[in-house]
């Protein structure tokens, strides 16, 4: 038995991104690990701790028993508290400790993936005592690690991998959340269409259509009369969709045609990550 074909895409994307993270952080001096990143409240060390921690959970390791300090003002929800535990427990780890644990975790995960024979529908442990399919868990890991690779690249001034395997997994997950942004959060009217025209390393044209009941769907056929068209580049799109920058900070890289009020309402609610 070997890895199910439907999981291979996510395994490849995870491996590519996590190895890139390892290459980015291994040469860093101790002080560079404390640099703030675009991920709210997290330093370089915190992002690497998060990557290590969630992959350890995929391995079935027990979660740390740890009490969070009360002055972590970026931690507001139960989901954020859950994620912060793996981060805060490593906040005093040195650079060599971080790189060694990351390297060891990558070795263990690669071995686990090579020997993975479960079906994609197998239920595995998810955050906050939830259960999710193995396929969803691996898809989310590939997405998460690619996004955090990009966080580190922005912080360290090392752009790249905007068209790597993880970028396409991220694109599909971001597009999955787009109808909710347009129809529910931004309140696009019934029987309307909104077009997204994205250029750059990952290029695509998608239309979100809102039906008579206010439900949104996304497809890749152009609309002849969209209420609004939003055009931007892939890097800006991904940073907006991941909540890394507000629209007001990148307005010069986004073009809105048609209903400007609706376009700005969509862009103000564009983040699809929690």
């Amino acid at each position: 038995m070997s890895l199910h074909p439907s999981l291979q895409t996510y395994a490849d994307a995870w491996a590519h991104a996590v190895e890139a993270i390892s290459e980015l952080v291994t040469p860093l001096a101790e002080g560079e690990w404390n640099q703030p990143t675009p991920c709210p409240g997290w330093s370089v060390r915190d992002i690497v701790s998060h990557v290590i921690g969630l992959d350890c959970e995929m391995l079935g390791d027990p979660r740390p028993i740890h009490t969070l300090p009360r002055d972590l003002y970026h931690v507001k929800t139960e989901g954020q508290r859950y994620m912060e535990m793996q981060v805060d427990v490593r906040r005093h780890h040195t650079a060599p400790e971080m790189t060694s644990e990351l390297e060891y975790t990558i070795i263990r995960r690669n071995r686990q993936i090579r020997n993975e024979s479960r079906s994609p529908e197998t239920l595995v442990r998810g955050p906050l005592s939830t259960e999710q399919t193995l396929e969803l868990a691996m898809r989310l890991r590939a997405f998460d690690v690619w996004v955090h690779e990009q966080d580190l690249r922005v912080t360290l001034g090392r752009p790249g991998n905007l068209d790597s395997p993880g970028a396409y997994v991220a694109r599909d997950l971001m597009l999955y959340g787009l109808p909710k942004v347009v129809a529910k959060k931004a309140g696009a009217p019934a029987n309307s269409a909104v077009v997204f025209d994205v250029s750059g390393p990952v290029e695509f044209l998608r239309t979100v259509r809102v039906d008579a009941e206010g439900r949104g769907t996304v497809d890749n056929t152009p609309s002849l009369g969209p209420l609004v068209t939003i055009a931007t580049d892939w890097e800006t799109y991904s940073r907006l969709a991941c909540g890394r920058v507000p629209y007001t900070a990148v307005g010069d890289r986004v073009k809105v045609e048609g209903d400007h009020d609706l376009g700005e309402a969509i862009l103000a609610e564009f983040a699809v990550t929690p």
Side-chain angles (χ1 to χ4, degrees), residues 160-269:
N161 284 352
L162 284 167
D163 58 350
S164 66
Y168 290 91
V169 175
R171 176 202 62 185
D172 292 346
L173 263 172
M174 292 170 188
L175 288 171
Y176 179 79
L178 202 51
K180 182 179 179 181
V181 168
V182 172
K184 302 300 181 187
K185 292 185 176 181
N191 301 312
S192 65
V194 176
V195 169
F196 294 86
D197 186 358
V198 177
S199 59
V202 176
E203 187 177 57
F204 56 91
L205 183 77
R206 293 292 187 276
T207 302
V208 174
R209 303 178 195 277
V210 183
D211 66 17
E213 282 74 47
R215 291 187 297 264
T217 55
V218 62
D219 62 55
N220 58 4
T221 56
S223 169
L224 296 178
L227 202 54
V228 61
T229 298
I230 296 173
T232 188
D233 63 277
W234 164 236
E235 182 178 10
T236 302
Y237 183 97
S238 64
R239 295 186 73 196
L240 284 167
C242 292
R244 295 314 194 246
V245 289
Y247 165 54
T248 52
V250 291
D252 60 325
R253 300 181 68 173
V254 182
K255 184 178 180 182
V256 178
E257 293 182 340
D259 187 332
H260 274 259
D261 288 342
L262 176 59
E264 294 196 355
I266 291 168
L267 289 163
E269 297 285 353

Side-chain angles (χ1 to χ4, degrees), residues 2 29 33 56 78 88 91-92 102 108 145 149 162 205-206 229 242 247 264:
S2 60
W33 285 78
C56 285
E78 277 306 303
D88 192 66
R91 280 213 160 98
H92 299 294
L102 177 62
R108 292 176 66 210
V145 175
E149 177 199 341
L162 284 167
L205 183 77
R206 293 292 187 276
T229 298
C242 292
Y247 165 54
E264 294 196 355

